[in-house]
């Protein structure tokens, strides 16, 4: 074949390749951006009474957000009494406290939403970050989950990339879905948030459990994709060393990173100050309430069985002192201001 014929015959191929490249470039997904939710909009001014807005303010401003895991009304009250400014509704703790079951995808969305409605109602201005497991189904289910959580007063939730029959992130044998399915979950959550009327500040957190299954490189890559899809925060589950957490934070910057610490779990027992020094923006202690509660209740039951009385386990706390931690004074004050007389003597 002559050079001239070769040039003529190859020209259409070159044009086609050029068109394909242009089409691929034009169809490539762009990074999600919502000007209203830009962190710069949350850096100044007093903290909002809206929990989702307040959480965004806390994320935009200096300092780590420390959220103890709560499992019920008692643990939530104790966390607030201790001075915590953010709470974490742990899926494992909620499943244990409400169902008496292990964290193996047994609890439903309704179980989690019911728990959230109660917790968020105790101190409505304090942000609650809630576990949403895998979103409880496909895109439509995930959208419903986001809207239900937001209606319950939750400030933000995290959705993970485990298969539907998931397990606690600090157990072995985990399986994860494909990158594509994980991104579908994140996009569905973001779309649902953006469809809430009035402009919701609800925070979407993308969580990956792939580090123990596919390695840290894949975990970081998935979190980058989650941030591109609109996740406000990235949650790296089961990070095993200080160096790996620092690497993750650096790779995902400026997207905030959440780390989960469970005593005896896969992640070292970082303090919140240590995690802050490593660059983490949120640290949660998922089982701090329910594990300590189990120890305390076990000891109390053993003492009652052995001594025949609860005097020792009560440690001098009577009913009134107990109810004061549960908000007794608030109820009495409200009743009096309204003109009631039911609680003049209590």
């Amino acid at each position: 074949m002559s050079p001239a014929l070769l040039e003529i015959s190859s020209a259409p191929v070159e044009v086609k390749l050029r068109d394909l490249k242009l089409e691929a470039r034009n169809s490539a997904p762009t990074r999600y951006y919502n000007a209203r939710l830009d962190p710069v909009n949350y850096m100044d001014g007093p903290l909002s009474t809206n929990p989702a807005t307040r959480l965004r303010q806390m994320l935009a401003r200096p300092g780590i957000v420390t959220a103890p895991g709560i499992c019920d009304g008692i643990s939530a009250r104790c966390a607030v009494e201790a001075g915590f400014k953010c709470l974490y509704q742990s899926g494992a703790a909620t499943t244990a406290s409400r169902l008496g079951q292990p964290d193996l995808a047994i609890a439903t969305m309704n179980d989690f939403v019911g728990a959230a409605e109660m917790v968020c109602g105790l101190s409505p201005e304090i942000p609650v970050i809630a576990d949403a497991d895998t979103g409880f189904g496909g895109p439509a289910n995930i959208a419903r989950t986001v809207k239900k959580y937001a209606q319950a007063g939750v400030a933000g939730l995290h959705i993970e990339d485990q298969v539907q029959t998931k397990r606690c992130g600090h157990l072995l044998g985990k399986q994860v879905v494909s990158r594509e399915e994980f991104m579908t979950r994140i996009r569905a959550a973001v779309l649902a948030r953006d469809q809430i009327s009035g402009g919701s500040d609800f925070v979407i957190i993308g969580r990956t459990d792939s580090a123990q299954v596919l390695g840290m490189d894949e975990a970081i890559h998935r979190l980058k994709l989650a941030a591109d899809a609109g996740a406000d925060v990235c949650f790296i589950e089961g990070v095993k060393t200080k160096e790996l957490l620092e690497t993750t934070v650096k790779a995902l910057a400026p997207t905030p990173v959440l780390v989960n610490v469970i005593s005896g779990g896969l992640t070292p027992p970082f303090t919140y100050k240590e995690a802050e020094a490593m660059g983490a923006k949120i640290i949660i202690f998922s089982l701090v309430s329910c594990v300590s509660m189990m120890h305390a209740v076990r000891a109390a039951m053993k003492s009652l069985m052995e001594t025949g009385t609860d005097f020792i386990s009560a440690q001098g706390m009577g009913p009134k002192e107990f109810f004061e931690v549960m908000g007794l004074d608030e109820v009495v004050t409200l009743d009096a201001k309204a003109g009631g007389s039911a609680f003049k003597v209590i």
Side-chain angles (χ1 to χ4, degrees):
M1 184 179 292
S2 68
L5 288 175
L6 179 62
E7 182 178 348
I8 292 172
S9 62
S10 64
V13 175
E14 291 175 357
V15 171
K16 187 175 181 180
L17 286 172
R18 183 192 65 198
D19 290 344
L20 286 172
K21 289 178 181 178
L22 182 62
E23 181 181 346
R25 189 184 307 122
N26 291 337
S27 62
T30 57
R31 182 179 174 90
Y32 172 90
Y33 178 70
N34 185 331
R36 186 182 63 79
L37 300 178
D38 194 305
V40 72
N41 298 325
Y42 300 88
M43 295 184 70
D44 301 315
L47 289 176
S48 174
T49 56
N50 178 289
T53 304
R54 179 175 288 219
L55 179 57
R56 286 190 177 274
Q57 291 172 320
M58 294 166 73
L59 291 174
R61 300 176 188 189
I64 193 168
V65 177
T66 303
I70 51 93
C71 59
D72 59 7
I74 296 176
S75 57
R77 288 284 192 183
C78 290
V80 172
E81 181 188 48
F84 287 100
K85 305 302 182 185
C86 184
L87 305 178
Y88 174 62
Q89 181 178 303
S90 161
T94 301
T95 302
S97 65
R98 291 182 72 87
L99 305 179
Q101 296 289 337
D103 185 16
L104 299 174
I106 296 171
T108 66
M109 183 197 71
N110 290 335
D111 293 320
F112 283 17
V113 170
E117 287 174 337
M118 178 273 297
V119 169
C120 293
L122 298 178
S123 295
E125 74 285 357
I126 294 181
V128 175
I129 298 170
D131 189 346
D133 281 359
T134 61
F136 307 105
N141 304 85
I142 291 169
R144 181 169 179 262
T145 296
V146 168
K147 292 173 182 178
K148 287 290 186 180
Y149 274 48
Q151 289 169 3
V154 173
L157 59 70
H158 62 75
I159 292 180
E160 67 199 53
D161 59 355
Q162 283 198 59
V163 297
Q164 295 291 350
T165 50
K166 60 145 291 175
R167 63 194 64 194
C168 169
H170 290 252
L171 293 179
L172 302 180
K174 293 188 291 185
Q175 300 177 60
V176 295
V177 298
S178 66
R179 290 180 186 175
E180 292 74 19
E181 186 169 346
F182 181 38
M183 290 311 102
T184 297
R185 292 176 182 179
I186 299 299
R187 284 192 292 268
V190 171
L191 286 168
R193 187 270 313 287
D194 290 350
Q195 290 171 358
I196 296 174
S197 61
S200 174
D201 283 342
F202 194 81
V203 175
I204 305 297
I205 303 170
R207 163 179 157 172
T208 184
D209 286 71
S210 61
Q212 289 76 53
V213 184
L214 303 173
M216 281 297 297
D217 288 344
E218 175 66 15
I220 291 173
H221 187 74
R222 288 185 177 219
L223 291 179
K224 286 182 177 179
L225 292 175
D228 287 344
D232 302 293
V233 177
C234 289
F235 178 171
I236 179 75
E237 180 64 297
V239 60
K240 292 185 176 181
T241 68
K242 170 182 180 289
E243 291 73 24
L244 287 175
L245 178 54
E246 290 174 334
T247 298
T248 302
V249 169
K250 183 177 180 181
L252 296 173
T255 305
V257 170
L258 182 155
V259 63
N260 179 25
V261 173
I262 296 178
S263 181
L266 297 173
T267 300
F270 301 133
T271 67
Y272 65 84
K273 290 183 179 179
E274 290 171 338
E276 182 176 20
M278 296 172 213
K281 187 60 186 178
I282 305 177
I283 184 169
I284 58 176
F285 296 88
S286 295
L287 299 184
V288 63
S289 61
C290 56
V291 169
S292 59
M293 191 176 295
M294 178 178 287
H295 287 309
V297 173
R298 272 181 165 175
M301 293 301 175
K302 185 173 184 290
S303 176
L304 176 59
M305 176 62 75
E306 292 175 349
T307 67
T309 178
D310 69 345
F311 182 80
I312 296 173
S313 61
Q315 299 181 48
M317 178 178 281
K320 185 175 181 180
E321 290 78 13
F322 172 74
F323 294 135
E324 283 173 347
V325 179
M326 298 302 108
L328 175 64
D329 292 342
E330 300 168 22
V331 176
V332 172
T333 299
L334 175 64
D335 183 78
K337 285 184 176 180
S341 58
F343 305 121
K344 280 188 176 181
V345 179
I346 198 78

